[in-house]
Amino acid sequence: MQLMKIPPKLAIINDISGYGHCSLTVALPVVSAMSVQGCPVPTSYFSNHMGYPVYFSKDLTEYLPEYLSKWEELEIAFDGIYCGFLSSVKQITVIRDFIKRQKAKNSSCKVIVDPVMGDHGKTYRSVTDTFCEEMKQMIAEADMITPNVTEACILTGKSFSEEMEEKEYRDMAFRLWDMGADKIVITGIRKGNFVLNLICESKDSCEIIQNEIAGESRPGTGDLFSSIIAADAVKDKDFKESVKRAADFVAMCTKVSHDLNMPIQDGVCFENFLNTLTK
């Protein structure tokens, strides 16, 4: 029998959508399956994600400082912080301060930022020029970042195009590395019948991991991907192997969801495969 140990603690900062397979409802079961304690910090409530024609939402910016202050009164130190959707510039400021205080308590605390700002070449409605500038400061605090192509373009000031060459993706990765994160993966690069993830771990070195396209682009796959990266990070797993694991898992879930004719806005039925993450 494998020796048991206390699971590492990962603060997960994201919105919570009651329906639609995304954000915290994805992250919590994934990191739990990977033997990591997920500690949620909700940034907004949604009845369902914004890809549906109607939804209820409640921004939680005003509650964040007090929520986090109680953890600090309890002197909780986290092994990692994984940050996803932030709904306002003020939230970025609050979370950056939280990250700095946690780093002061535990210098080995891993910070993973998924800079949620847009997709398919378009920014989300909450993303302003000021938000983008503040997000650049946020990723400077991160050990790892997981932007999709659109977000990489926003952060580097490059015009989005579906016809970019590999060198352009590499140049973006190097520019992101210069902003402060040690490990970068630009996700969801579609080329022909493949989806690529470009990894950068140094100023002059990039690698590509590719998977066959397994179906339509679906909500929540970025949350799945980044949750696996974050859980592996607090367990000190190799970054490249973590990216491969995350990409393979997303591809498997996407293919089955496509084969089952699951509505695209419902995301992917990852629950069927959580057992594969325990290995």
Side-chain angles (χ1 to χ4, degrees), residues 104-197:
K105 288 181 183 179
N106 176 14
S107 61
S108 63
C109 175
K110 300 286 176 56
V111 177
I112 303 92
V113 174
D114 181 10
V116 180
M117 294 190 291
D119 205 357
H120 306 294
K122 296 180 180 179
T123 57
Y124 297 136
R125 280 170 285 183
S126 59
V127 177
T128 62
D129 289 344
T130 302
F131 187 101
C132 180
E133 289 305 310
E134 290 297 315
M135 184 57 75
K136 290 178 185 178
Q137 299 302 313
M138 169 75 89
I139 66 174
E141 306 291 341
D143 298 290
M144 303 173 185
I145 61 172
T146 61
N148 61 31
V149 177
T150 300
E151 291 153 353
C153 288
I154 295 169
L155 289 166
T156 59
K158 185 173 180 59
S159 297
F160 174 85
S161 170
E162 294 181 348
E163 307 301 324
M164 282 191 284
E165 300 294 329
E166 183 178 313
K167 181 181 183 303
E168 294 177 274
Y169 292 114
R170 290 176 181 269
D171 288 344
M172 281 200 297
F174 293 145
R175 290 183 65 185
L176 290 169
W177 191 87
D178 282 338
M179 291 181 187
D182 290 331
K183 301 178 190 299
I184 294 142
V185 54
I186 300 178
T187 67
I189 303 168
R190 293 200 164 213
K191 289 291 181 184
N193 294 324
F194 294 92
V195 60
L196 316 179
N197 294 288

Side-chain angles (χ1 to χ4, degrees), residues 68-140:
L68 294 171
S69 73
K70 299 308 176 188
W71 280 357
E72 291 175 345
E73 285 180 36
L74 294 170
E75 299 185 349
I76 300 170
F78 290 92
D79 300 291
I81 300 170
Y82 160 36
C83 183
F85 177 74
L86 299 175
S87 63
S88 66
V89 170
K90 185 175 180 181
Q91 285 196 358
I92 297 177
T93 301
V94 170
I95 298 307
R96 279 181 63 204
D97 289 345
F98 172 67
I99 288 171
K100 289 177 180 179
R101 291 192 296 270
Q102 282 293 314
K103 282 278 196 180
K105 288 181 183 179
N106 176 14
S107 61
S108 63
C109 175
K110 300 286 176 56
V111 177
I112 303 92
V113 174
D114 181 10
V116 180
M117 294 190 291
D119 205 357
H120 306 294
K122 296 180 180 179
T123 57
Y124 297 136
R125 280 170 285 183
S126 59
V127 177
T128 62
D129 289 344
T130 302
F131 187 101
C132 180
E133 289 305 310
E134 290 297 315
M135 184 57 75
K136 290 178 185 178
Q137 299 302 313
M138 169 75 89
I139 66 174

Side-chain angles (χ1 to χ4, degrees), residues 31-94:
V31 304
S32 293
M34 297 175 68
S35 300
V36 171
Q37 179 188 354
C39 304
V41 181
T43 57
S44 299
Y45 285 140
F46 289 90
S47 55
N48 44 273
H49 66 68
M50 292 181 284
Y52 291 93
V54 297
Y55 59 89
F56 164 83
S57 66
K58 175 67 174 176
D59 182 273
L60 299 177
T61 300
E62 65 178 293
Y63 305 107
L64 270 181
E66 187 173 3
Y67 185 108
L68 294 171
S69 73
K70 299 308 176 188
W71 280 357
E72 291 175 345
E73 285 180 36
L74 294 170
E75 299 185 349
I76 300 170
F78 290 92
D79 300 291
I81 300 170
Y82 160 36
C83 183
F85 177 74
L86 299 175
S87 63
S88 66
V89 170
K90 185 175 180 181
Q91 285 196 358
I92 297 177
T93 301
V94 170

Side-chain angles (χ1 to χ4, degrees), residues 199 209 211 229 239-249:
I199 301 168
I209 290 175
N211 296 77
I229 298 294
F239 185 61
K240 180 180 176 182
E241 289 303 312
S242 182
V243 170
K244 186 176 188 309
R245 183 183 197 187
D248 288 346
F249 186 80

